[in-house]
Amino acid sequence: AQSVTQLDSQVPVFEEAPVELRCNYSSSVSVYLFWYVQYPNQGLQLLLKYLSGSTLVKGINGFEAEFNKSQTSFHLRKPSVHISDTAEYFCAVSERSSASKIIFGSGTRLSIRP
Amino acid sequence: DTAVSQTPKYLVTQMGNDKSIKCEQNLGHDTMYWYKQDSKKFLKIMFSYNNKELIINETVPNRFSPKSPDKAHLNLHINSLELGDSAVYFCASSQNYGYTFGSGTRLTVV
């Protein structure tokens, strides 16, 4: 079984500052990794995903994440945040098999201060 | 064109009632899911169907019954609603490790 741990429930940062949202996973099999964003009162939008290949994955809105197998981490980063990045961010994992469920972390609320 | 659409978007109902939430996807995906997001934003899978066949049934009260008339639709019926059922319910579909979520149905039981 897989599990996902998001170490920070809330991350406050100033506008234009860099940010890192941490994610660690646990699994006995190979996995795919995802980051989703949920803006207030909206659904889930895919930011980026790691399936294979390069460990540095670039997503939408200037976000990127790096897969680190030895540390079982998939941290999300952005070099300069904007007010519009205020949202809940979810790290997620699924097994490398078709029709597999996706397991979510508990979420990190990113709040941007002007 | 909405890829995964859920109806209704909001649902307010009294305890003890029976209600349904509908989900349709036009992506041609084989697999569909229902997730529940509680008041603390935690997302938990409830069910998954692959080509109309139930493949995942997590620990969910049997008051919840999913139905998939075809692979583009996955509906969720809830009997005897309880206060604790209040949550946002998300439908999703997937194919080849790409998951697409609906915009959610906010269920409030009063």
Side-chain angles (χ1 to χ4, degrees):
Chain A
Q2 306 88 45
S3 66
V4 180
T5 302
Q6 291 184 244
L7 298 165
D8 306 300
S9 59
Q10 294 188 64
V11 173
V13 295
F14 287 104
E15 195 172 13
E16 297 184 7
V19 69
E20 178 180 84
L21 305 184
R22 295 181 293 170
C23 172
N24 287 88
Y25 69 93
S26 172
S27 177
S28 57
V29 299
S30 295
V31 296
Y32 297 121
L33 294 156
F34 308 82
W35 275 99
Y36 283 84
V37 60
Q38 185 177 28
Y39 298 105
N41 298 315
Q42 293 191 27
L44 293 158
Q45 182 180 1
L46 179 67
L47 271 179
L48 48 80
K49 61 184 175 186
Y50 172 77
L51 301 183
S52 65
S54 173
T55 57
L56 183 63
V57 181
K58 292 192 184 298
I60 61 170
N61 302 341
F63 284 93
E64 64 180 32
E66 185 153 20
F67 170 57
N68 188 317
K69 189 175 181 180
S70 62
Q71 297 185 4
T72 59
S73 67
F74 191 54
H75 301 332
L76 181 70
R77 300 185 186 98
K78 186 170 182 178
S80 176
V81 295
H82 189 265
I83 290 283
S84 60
D85 293 323
T86 297
E88 193 86 23
Y89 291 80
F90 293 94
C91 183
V93 64
S94 73
E95 279 187 14
R96 286 180 174 242
S97 64
S98 61
S100 180
K101 62 186 178 184
I102 187 169
I103 305 295
F104 288 90
S106 53
T108 297
R109 176 157 184 77
L110 177 63
S111 56
I112 312 298
R113 300 169 175 171
Chain B
D1 280 348
T2 303
V4 180
S5 60
Q6 298 177 227
T7 54
K9 191 171 175 65
Y10 298 97
L11 184 54
V12 181
T13 187
Q14 290 186 326
M15 282 175 54
N17 283 351
D18 303 338
K19 290 293 179 185
S20 292
I21 307 172
K22 295 185 176 182
C23 179
E24 176 182 3
Q25 55 100 358
N26 62 6
L27 298 166
H29 289 173
D30 289 332
T31 310
M32 296 185 72
Y33 311 80
W34 277 109
Y35 281 81
K36 179 180 179 180
Q37 185 175 42
D38 63 24
S39 58
K40 296 183 179 179
K41 301 287 187 181
F42 187 67
L43 281 151
K44 184 174 170 57
I45 188 166
M46 300 173 70
F47 302 103
S48 175
Y49 271 73
N50 183 257
N51 275 321
K52 303 193 297 176
E53 183 180 342
L54 181 66
I55 57 170
I56 295 174
N57 185 348
E58 296 291 307
T59 308
V60 177
N62 56 16
R63 298 181 295 102
F64 289 78
S65 54
K67 283 190 171 51
S68 182
D70 55 61
K71 77 171 194 177
H73 295 83
L74 180 60
N75 303 323
L76 183 65
H77 187 75
I78 315 169
N79 289 326
S80 303
L81 278 155
E82 300 177 357
L83 292 177
D85 297 332
S86 295
V88 181
Y89 292 84
F90 286 100
C91 177
S93 69
S94 74
Q95 184 92 2
N96 297 329
Y97 324 113
Y99 298 83
T100 303
F101 285 82
S103 57
T105 295
R106 183 174 294 276
L107 171 65
T108 304
V109 183
V110 297

